[in-house]
Amino acid sequence: MLTLENRISAFAQLGDYLRHLPLEERQYLARRAGQHNNFFDEPNVSAALDGLAQMLQRDQLEAWLANYDIPETIAAPKKVGVVMAGNIPAVGFHDALCILISGHILQAKPSSDDPFLVPHLLEKLVEIEPGFQEYVQLVPMLKTADAIIATGSDNTARYFEYYFAKRPHIIRKNRTSVAVLTGNETREELTNLGDDMLRYYGLGCRNVSKAYVPEGYDFTPLFEAIEYKKEVVNHHKYQNNYDYNKSIYLVNGVPHLDNGFLMVTESRQLVSPISVLFYETYQDAADLRQKLAAVQEKLQCVVSKEGLWENSFQFGQAQCPSVSDYADGVDTLAFLLKL
């Protein structure tokens, strides 16, 4: 039976594996992942793996777990089923980490958009610590799971809520992230915001899809600062989205700004299409606070200058969650420890 120390040590060693990945193996993983999802190219797969490597450091894991009363062993572990998302590489791994570190059994249903990376990481974990063999299960259905963690669209979430109603569950819906801009940002800060918007081609719930800006805001400095991201339009699927959205705006006469790879248009909606950044103006801090409060349930995270806006991240940090940053703000580990 695996002890808590066994579990922590195994994940820390998995982190070491990721931190010392040879270039050839990293390229191989990206190629395999890209066979199932064209958006999973080498830069984005590398970014995801680097994020996990940062998360799976022993000191980070121990600091995280120190906030919980985690048993050394569980005599009768529960089977926890996970319907994993596949919008960005290995996005379902954090749930797997929480389940296994808590001492329960993982029943993972990988996304058809990411059927390779998470199973590969779990295979490595079992290789490092064979005791995990009986705790890691890849399954096509979750009929035998005692509890459920599922991520999907708002429509899918309604189905999940109905289907899994009688079992303990965490059901996650559509979320997105926003930026708070004042006009006083430095070029470096705006450059970092480029990562928040365009890493993973904008497909993650932690990607900034909308900016709140003061009235009369000038987008020129932002466009200049993110010019380094122009290569995104060389990806054929991103370019298809860019061309399509541009044609729609031109045909319908929608006012917008365009730098050749990203369009900016005013909208009260939160979730922008790929290649588009929505913006909404605010009059003052009170007005901004009211606007953000109205959409709080739809937000994954907020980025702002030096992270000064309440509960926000610094620019460039939206896609760098720590191990204690839970999706939708729901404490997954606390949920698991109550099973």
Side-chain angles (χ1 to χ4, degrees):
M1 186 173 288
L2 290 175
T3 66
L4 178 58
E5 170 55 31
N6 293 149
R7 304 193 299 267
I8 293 172
S9 179
F11 278 105
Q13 288 179 65
L14 182 62
D16 288 338
Y17 157 75
L18 291 173
R19 280 187 290 279
H20 298 95
L21 265 182
L23 178 59
E24 297 79 7
E25 187 170 357
R26 189 177 287 260
Q27 291 172 336
Y28 164 76
L29 296 179
R31 282 198 306 273
R32 286 293 307 275
Q35 289 171 358
H36 304 281
N37 188 330
N38 287 331
F39 280 117
F40 288 10
D41 55 15
E42 188 177 335
N44 286 317
V45 170
S46 285
L49 296 178
D50 288 345
L52 291 179
Q54 177 69 21
M55 191 181 289
L56 297 177
Q57 298 181 81
R58 175 174 278 274
D59 59 345
Q60 301 276 348
L61 294 170
E62 289 178 342
W64 168 48
L65 298 175
N67 298 307
Y68 303 87
D69 183 15
I70 300 181
E72 276 293 314
T73 60
I74 296 180
K78 302 292 187 181
K79 295 176 182 176
V80 184
V82 183
V83 180
M84 294 185 169
N87 51 324
I88 65 174
V91 68
F93 186 79
H94 189 268
D95 286 331
L97 164 64
C98 290
I99 292 165
L100 295 172
I101 208 81
S102 71
H104 290 300
I105 296 168
L106 167 68
Q107 288 193 334
K109 185 178 185 299
S111 167
S112 59
D113 287 329
D114 188 10
F116 170 72
L117 279 177
V118 172
H120 172 78
L121 293 171
L122 293 172
E123 183 181 314
K124 280 291 177 183
L125 181 69
V126 172
E127 186 180 306
I128 291 166
E129 174 49 78
F132 268 126
Q133 181 75 54
E134 59 187 283
Y135 289 86
V136 175
Q137 302 174 8
L138 300 180
V139 297
M141 302 184 74
L142 301 175
K143 290 183 177 180
T144 64
D146 301 303
I148 299 291
I149 300 173
T151 303
S153 66
D154 287 352
N155 286 334
T156 307
R158 282 192 286 271
Y159 164 77
F160 287 154
E161 291 279 7
Y162 172 79
Y163 190 74
F164 299 126
K166 295 182 180 179
R167 285 179 270 182
H169 58 262
I170 294 175
I171 307 296
R172 304 193 187 106
K173 303 177 182 179
N174 279 349
R175 293 231 177 182
T176 193
S177 299
V178 301
V180 170
L181 300 175
T182 65
N184 297 319
E185 290 77 19
T186 65
R187 184 184 178 94
E188 181 181 5
E189 288 168 333
L190 294 177
T191 297
N192 290 339
L193 177 58
D195 252 0
D196 296 329
M197 294 188 294
L198 293 169
R199 181 175 288 180
Y200 307 122
Y201 298 104
L203 290 165
C205 62
R206 301 183 72 89
N207 282 112
V208 168
S209 62
K210 182 171 183 173
Y212 288 88
V213 301
E215 294 179 351
Y217 182 83
D218 180 9
F219 281 94
T220 303
L222 174 61
F223 274 169
E224 291 175 348
I226 66 171
E227 182 66 18
Y228 76 103
K229 283 288 187 181
K230 63 184 178 183
E231 74 275 3
V232 294
V233 82
N234 294 331
H235 189 287
H236 69 282
K237 290 184 74 172
Y238 184 94
Q239 185 176 34
N240 288 343
N241 280 272
Y242 170 79
D243 291 341
Y244 172 79
N245 289 313
K246 182 174 182 175
S247 66
I248 293 294
Y249 289 162
L250 290 174
V251 169
N252 294 330
V254 177
H256 65 281
L257 302 174
D258 182 2
N259 69 352
F261 61 90
L262 180 72
M263 288 167 286
V264 177
T265 188
E266 189 169 9
S267 175
R268 290 192 175 185
Q269 296 182 59
L270 268 182
V271 182
S272 60
I274 294 176
S275 77
V276 177
L277 174 71
F278 286 156
Y279 77 90
E280 188 172 344
T281 61
Y282 62 87
Q283 296 178 348
D284 51 33
D287 183 36
L288 175 59
R289 187 169 288 106
Q290 185 176 24
K291 289 178 185 291
L292 289 177
V295 296
Q296 186 61 44
E297 293 304 309
K298 290 288 185 180
L299 296 183
Q300 192 65 260
C301 63
V302 179
V303 294
S304 67
K305 182 179 177 67
E306 298 175 352
L308 291 179
W309 188 260
E310 53 202 68
N311 300 317
S312 69
F313 291 78
Q314 296 185 52
F315 295 123
Q317 295 301 305
Q319 291 294 352
C320 304
S322 73
V323 69
S324 59
D325 287 322
Y326 297 105
D328 292 16
V330 177
D331 191 324
T332 312
L333 194 50
F335 164 79
L336 293 164
L337 292 174
K338 292 176 183 176
L339 295 177

